[in-house]
Amino acid sequence: MRNVFPPPSHGPLWANEPKRLPNWVELIRNYPFGVVGLLVLVIIFVASGLAHWIAPYDPLETNYANTLAAPSLQHWLGTDTFGRDLLSRVLYGGRTALFIGVSASIIGSTIGAMLGITSAYIGGWFELILERFLEVLLAIPTMILALVLVATMGRNLVFGIDFNLVLAIALPIVPNMARIARSQTLTIRRQAYVDAARTLGFSSSRIIAWHIAPNIAGPYIVMVTTFVSQAILIEASLSYLGLGVTAPTASWGLMLAGNAFNSALTAPWIVIFPGVAIALVVFSFSMLGDALRDIFDPKASAGR
Amino acid sequence: MIPGKTFIAGLAAATVIVSAAPVAAQGEPQYGGALRYAVSDDPANFDCHAANNFAVLMRLAPHYSTLLRFKPGNYPEIEGDVARSWEADPEALTYTFTLHPDIQFHDGSQLTAEDVAATFERLAFPPEGVISERIETFRQIESVEVVDELTVRFHLKEWDTSVLGTFASPWNCIYSSELLESNPSYPSRVVMGSGPFVFEDFVAGSVWTASRFENYFREGQPYLDRLESYTMEGQAVVNAIQAGQVHTDFRGVSPQAAERLRTALGDGITTHVGPSLTHFLVTFNSQSAPFDDQRVRKALNLAIDRWGGVAGLGATSEMKYVGGPLMPNGQFSGSDAHLESLPGFSRNIEKAREEARQLLAEAGQADLSFTLTVRDGPPILVDFAVFLADQWRRVGVNAELKIVQTPEWASALTNSNFVAITDIYSALREEPTEQLTKYISYDLSHRSAGRFDDPVLDDIWARQAVETDPRARLDLLRKFEERLMEQSYSLPVVWLERSVAMDAKLHGWTFSPSNFLYLDQSGTWLSN
Amino acid sequence: MLRYLLNRLMLAIPTLLGVATLTFFMLALLPGDAVETMLRADGGNPTPEIIAAERARLGLDRPILVQFGDFLWGLFTGDLGSSSWTGKPVLDEIMLRLPVTLELAVLGMIIAVVIALPLGTLAGIFHGTWLDNLIRIFAFGGIALPSFWLGMMLALAMLWFFNWLPPLGSNSLFSDPIRVLQQLTLPALAVGYRYAAMLVRMMRASVIEAMSEDYVRTARAKGLPASSIVRRHIVPNSLLPTVTIIGLEFALMVGSLVVIEQVFSLNGLGRLFVESVARSDLIVIQGIVVVLTIIFIAINLLVDLAYAAIDPRIRLGRG
């Protein structure tokens, strides 16, 4: 997932190239994929957010008389080995995936952005040490880093959500975001208006807050969107390996784990739907992310 | 009537061989072929005496002989393996074994009484640095005496009901005394025994290969040319059998998976189904609140709908039978009526749950919430915990699952660092004295997960161990169950079914309730 | 060039040391105890004395800094310690599995490249058309489908239609290449699709960029046929950035095979990693992280060098 965002040195920033905000018709025409992605995401967010009200069953409610039932009118997506309603579990699983994905991505990106901006701004030893540290983190493959973290930190349940899991997924995002934020900041720092602000005697924190942060906002939003996909995939993989979300919480990765593979030939629905759900969400986030990139940084992603 | 007989009959009835394979093919063993089977894990080292995982035994058993063995085709009857015959004195305090005269180790040396003695001395009195995993089973052995080259005599301290089982245990592989002398821990690195197959190669994480031992002492055996056992994840096993990657997994598959294989392969698959000596249990930490209160423990016991659970879970998983601490419908279990009279085994679950709620309210724990520590191993262990949590949810108790890797689970168990913890117990054979060590005070048995101290329970256990009248012993066992379930320190919940699905070409293997037996493959053969 | 190489190598060493340090101390916090697990794998009950003796034998009872010093020295001398599970050298355990992982990664990459280059070029040339959109959707799919799920589906399909699954066991590429191919094709397809998707996007963007370059316009003005413009100018120029990405992706891929190896019971590094986590075999875990990092750094280095060889400006600009 690295190098998704090209370095800004290719040309001027989006902010320097004023562009009339497109109205919705133009949006659809220019970014059909992005709009579709956004729509699907809105539907998924609403559906899983309201899972408590719209899910036909409690996702934990077992029914031993009706295990592995095929999709039917009572159970649109069928039931699993505990007789739990699959549709309800997919909806609640969406809540888990989105919550972990979005929060890990925001936490990782925010910490990364802050580190990146600070190091670029302060420079010196701080920058050097931080750079080395980030390089170390970048050198460990993402999945392996997340796995080592999950294994070492154990579980830490806060309101039923494993906070350590969120952190383990967020940490690999930090160095990626920090790099981008740093190079953006370096570019902006050289701009005349920042110099002007400095000559005017504004404090560093004020310059960062008023001049640098807003300029990072665009790339930040694009990266958060991109990292959500990565985070959701990692969550699914970790849960599949039994190191992520804890049973009986509904999670897409967990629904594919255990004996699902063995049961899949007789009850294919138990593996198809969770997989499709993951794919759909990640698909939508990628399309949205691409469109956002085009909107915020049209030059760097020429023609995408 | 002898209880053992009923058991065998029951077992025979339960062992359904679902196959249309021609019966005639069962008759005459054919030679040749390579048996491929799945094993769930790699051995850490190769020492049978130190190992405790049956995955290790699946690899090692074909390479070794034992003193006695469980008779193929006739579980739980015991016959001689390297011993041709044996006799005990009337008090059953000395056992004298006469060995087969022409037994060779794979290195060509002769197996003699010296080797048997050295092996059992290593087991009963392990030298520094040697681990004897089941050392408590040798507690009654006083000394081992080599009478002559082919005769070995064991002197016992006290009469021991389980001693023949110990002599027949597949864990007690006979090692070469000559090699042991130079290095007492040679077996952890070298596989050299007198079993039907010679070790060839082991690729960690992948495959263990063995070839036929031409000088195996049983005339005409073994039939197979080669053994290849593959290390593979449980999730992949059923698919592997269906695709013909392996012939079988001797541990068994879920009933649902077996059904699927039958549908897919029809005549191509044979299934052996029967009860297993493995059961799942849950233990409460009765040293601290809230489980130091017997009412709370009993309430949680009452809330579990065991009959409903096995009816549902049994359809898709191995969790198939309701039973107490001893195997249901076995040699030592009580009647169904007695079972149903025990707390937690009532058929009337609504009434039991009502009582549970009442007990919880009395104890001031109406909305109890606690953490259940669960080992992350085979998926079925997690399924079991999900089942428990769901049962308790129905009486308003919230059990949060804490699923941890085996090391953390093991350390929680040893250090009593849990509120409630699930556990699995597999026995080699039906032997109450041994099996009930899981359920007595920790002071008496470190195998017990509960840290309680219950002299009444311990006393019943100690009395049944030396009770010579079978009927009186059964009565004591019933008393044990009553006390255990009333106190609810540790709860036996479900007993598993073992269903071994195998390629119909595979014959001559004996099914038994234990995962640990009949793994030496001496009589196994493949038809063309 | 040699100086540039040395320079890059020197920079890689602190990173590697950093990774080693970080991993070592993170793992020192791991709950549970490998020794205990090993001793009580399936219901065994070792006494505390046995556990203590075993810990002492493995040197796990020494102060943490001493162990760390030992680890660093071992790293320096190419000794990654011994597995606390099997007692065998970690390097042996890793080397046994590394070929499978590398073969899978290479095959996955080949599949990715074979799919991606033509599709990316087509999408770039016809960008904005339905063909482009179709290829983009295909690419989005590759990024969105979890590769372990795709692998599962491929395996189930094979089982459903042919009652067939890849053969098991460890096979050497040299003694039995056909069997290795049978074994690795499905998982390689599953991961290859994902990386193909990334490459398609890269290739497409490069082609679009190349098409707007002056030389293409000139060539078109000269009236060269479209196919030869594509062949002679656009593709070669777009390949350069794509090749760089291939290298980086390969490095990423090696680290991401953990899950797919699990699905197909492949005896690779990823599966060893997951097993070692389950056994709390810290020494193997840290060995794997170190080895994967070395591979990662080495590939990045190679990519840099390749790039530098192609584009001499870089030697001055960076490093």
Side-chain angles (χ1 to χ4, degrees), chain C residues 215-225 229 232-233:
Chain C
Y215 54 81
V216 174
R217 261 180 254 150
T218 321
R220 201 179 279 170
K222 279 199 290 185
L224 277 176
I229 300 179
R232 288 216 209 123
H233 298 288

Side-chain angles (χ1 to χ4, degrees), chain B residues 104-120:
Chain B
Q104 266 183 35
F105 278 113
H106 299 160
D107 66 359
S109 60
Q110 204 73 20
L111 187 149
T112 66
E114 289 289 350
D115 300 304
V116 176
T119 298
F120 278 88

Side-chain angles (χ1 to χ4, degrees), chain B residues 41 52 233 242 245 407 414, chain C residues 36 39 163 166 271 279-280:
Chain B
D41 207 350
N52 51 31
E233 309 305 318
Q242 178 168 348
Q245 288 174 312
T414 342
Chain C
E36 208 170 310
L39 291 177
N163 252 339
R271 189 153 153 236
R279 294 165 181 161
S280 289

